[in-house]
Amino acid sequence: MAWFKRQDNEIVSETERTVRTEGLWVKCPDCGKAIFRAELDANLQVCPHCGHHFKMDARRRIELLLEPGYELVDLDLKSTDPLNFTDLKPYKKRLAEAQAKTGLNDAIVNAVGKLNGRDIVISAMEYSFIGGSMGAVVGETIARAVDRSLATRSPLLIISASGGARMMEGIVSLMQLAKISTALGRLADEKIPYISLMTDPTTGGVTASFAMLGDLNIAEPGALIGFAGPRVIEQTIRQKLPEGFQRSEFLLQHGFLDAVVSRKDTKAYLDRAFTWMTA
């Protein structure tokens, strides 16, 4: 009887099964509705039903903000492994995998170009590269963006998308907080505008340093912004946090942000802001 005999039918692993429509639809994590991927791309990675802002890669953000002819710069820097760090896998292997996945050397992209005719320097973080964590290369790249702003007296925009400092580099990663903050201090002394745009998520050492040091601090709707995560805070204070805690709208209501700006309005908002900041 078949009850006691192994069947010859091969068991197909679920992970190996594919269908023709795979990847054509995306489920919104907020409203739960299915979105045609082409429609999502056309809508700037924003859910057409509820307005949820999906993550967007750094190069796409730069492309949306700058006019054709912009230049990507400072892409040649590569992270080392100063501590020979290993957790679940060696840090060198994590770097190699992230570089192959994203086509970037690290979690940051600098660009120089024009936004509605105005020269501007942009430093955009790439979350898909080890969670957008900030190591020595990210710190140096942002410092170079500040230097370019100082040299050309062009406004600076930093787009944050990060889980915080890259602890695989230990104290080297934490030193970047002071390094970037000092560089931004020089920018402020020269009265060159700096706008910080925070996206989902902006947490840890990035929030504790340059992300909150803008002359104007703005964020996308629904972005998670904070130092420690909500779960850690709840476990520490042993209290339930209010609804929407650490989201953009909550921070705006409590005075931590100057504005919450939807993705489709970001370019126009930045143009107006830089106009009166440089008047």
Side-chain angles (χ1 to χ4, degrees):
M1 294 177 63
W3 292 350
F4 305 105
K5 293 181 181 180
R6 184 179 298 275
Q7 297 297 303
D8 293 332
N9 298 332
E10 182 181 357
I11 298 176
V12 179
S13 172
E14 289 291 332
T15 59
E16 297 176 358
R17 293 178 58 187
T18 58
V19 292
R20 290 186 178 183
T21 58
E22 186 173 356
L24 294 180
W25 297 87
V26 180
K27 183 178 179 180
C28 177
D30 270 8
C31 65
K33 293 185 178 180
I35 313 165
F36 190 46
R37 185 174 290 278
E39 182 183 5
L40 186 63
D41 292 339
N43 203 39
L44 305 181
Q45 297 294 312
V46 176
C47 175
H49 305 290
C50 68
H52 172 77
H53 282 53
F54 286 78
K55 292 180 177 61
M56 178 178 282
D57 69 84
R59 285 165 290 195
R60 176 64 173 149
R61 288 185 181 278
I62 292 171
E63 179 186 346
L64 290 174
L65 292 175
L66 296 182
E67 298 168 12
Y70 65 86
E71 181 184 3
L72 301 181
V73 294
D74 305 320
L75 295 175
D76 56 332
L77 298 177
K78 289 187 176 182
S79 290
T80 60
D81 185 9
L83 303 179
N84 291 317
F85 189 88
T86 300
D87 46 13
L88 296 177
K89 64 177 72 173
Y91 178 42
K92 286 187 178 70
K93 186 175 181 180
R94 289 189 185 277
L95 286 172
E97 291 175 350
Q99 288 163 356
K101 175 184 176 182
T102 63
L104 297 174
N105 284 333
D106 216 288
I108 192 81
V109 179
N110 278 357
V112 291
K114 292 184 180 294
L115 189 153
N116 289 350
R118 177 183 292 101
D119 289 327
I120 185 177
V121 179
I122 295 180
S123 197
M125 304 192 74
E126 178 58 68
Y127 186 77
S128 60
F129 194 106
I130 314 182
S133 51
M134 177 178 62
V137 168
V138 171
E140 174 61 20
T141 303
I142 295 177
R144 291 189 182 190
V146 175
D147 290 340
R148 290 179 184 276
S149 288
L150 286 166
T152 60
R153 299 198 66 81
S154 301
L156 173 66
L157 170 67
I158 298 180
I159 305 173
S160 300
S162 175
R166 187 175 299 171
M167 299 314 298
M168 289 83 89
E169 295 185 17
I171 190 64
V172 175
S173 67
L174 297 178
M175 289 169 60
Q176 307 312 311
L177 281 72
K179 178 179 182 178
I180 300 173
S181 298
T182 302
L184 290 173
R186 292 191 292 126
L187 205 66
D189 291 340
E190 292 295 323
K191 294 181 171 54
I192 299 173
Y194 158 46
I195 293 180
S196 174
L197 170 58
M198 287 165 264
T199 68
D200 184 51
T202 299
T203 56
V206 169
T207 306
S209 56
F210 61 86
M212 282 293 182
L213 291 180
D215 299 309
L216 199 64
N217 293 329
I218 64 176
E220 290 187 335
L224 176 66
I225 302 169
F227 183 65
R231 184 175 57 186
V232 174
I233 296 174
E234 284 186 338
Q235 291 174 348
T236 301
I237 66 175
R238 300 182 184 280
Q239 293 182 25
K240 186 67 177 176
L241 296 173
E243 185 71 25
F245 180 76
Q246 288 187 320
R247 295 291 171 175
S248 302
E249 295 75 12
F250 184 91
L251 269 66
L252 177 65
Q253 183 181 355
H254 290 79
F256 283 87
L257 291 176
D258 296 300
V260 174
V261 186
S262 65
R263 192 169 291 165
K264 63 182 178 62
D265 297 327
T266 300
K267 185 173 183 178
Y269 183 94
L270 291 172
D271 183 41
R272 292 196 304 272
F274 282 133
T275 295
W276 60 258
M277 292 173 82
T278 57

